[in-house]
Amino acid sequence: DPSMSDDTILVVEDDPTVTHLYNQFLEPEYTVVTTTTAAEAIDVLNGEQAPEGEELPDSIDAVLLDRRLPDEPGETVLDVIEEQDLDCRVAMVTGVEPDFDIIDMGFDLYILKPVTRDELTEAVETLFTRSEYGGLLQEAASLASKRALLEANKADDELDASDEYHDLLDRMEDLDDELLDLADTLSADDYRVMFRDIGSQ
């Protein structure tokens, strides 16, 4: 089927009801591989072992990662992705309200449960758009998402009092400068392609 995507999404979620929902939302457009623990997810990401009854995919393009897993926190999976420099984008999908500790976590999007079909499909599309970006843009988009998330969930005085939040703003400013330098070297068409969806985040 030519409309089928070759993109593979790894779902790391221990609640079978939630996993079933994700599968309904995402298949058949994407190939979905499901795991219930951090250890299983790491095996799949390393290409070592497929979940029971599933085939090991050639590569994982995006991960929907629960933050609370039965064996280890979702952050453990993020650390492996980062340490091994795996080329996949990650959405943390969780019931845990975001706190300032999210700033140092290597995810692209943070989505609070419960998730609607529209939210999930839009998140996945955003992840795949971002996978086309270079590293600088991926980081800028991730930081922008974290900033928006914290500003939506924290009071102004909490933001003001947080060193991590101020570090985040400083990093975004530095990145802006780097991206401007980069933009100067791009053709108009390249520029449009690179920045077309950053405004919508």
Side-chain angles (χ1 to χ4, degrees), residues 97-98 112 148-155 158:
E97 290 282 334
L112 281 170
L149 186 71
L150 288 170
E151 288 175 355
N153 285 277
K154 294 283 179 194
E158 287 181 280

Side-chain angles (χ1 to χ4, degrees), residues 7 15 19 30 53 61 65 76 82 101 105 115 145 153 173 182 192 196 198:
D7 292 322
D15 181 337
T19 302
Y30 302 101
D61 303 294
L65 177 62
T76 307
E82 203 165 345
D101 60 350
M105 293 180 199
V115 185
S145 293
N153 285 277
E173 224 169 276
L182 179 66
R192 271 200 298 278
R196 66 180 171 215
I198 278 200

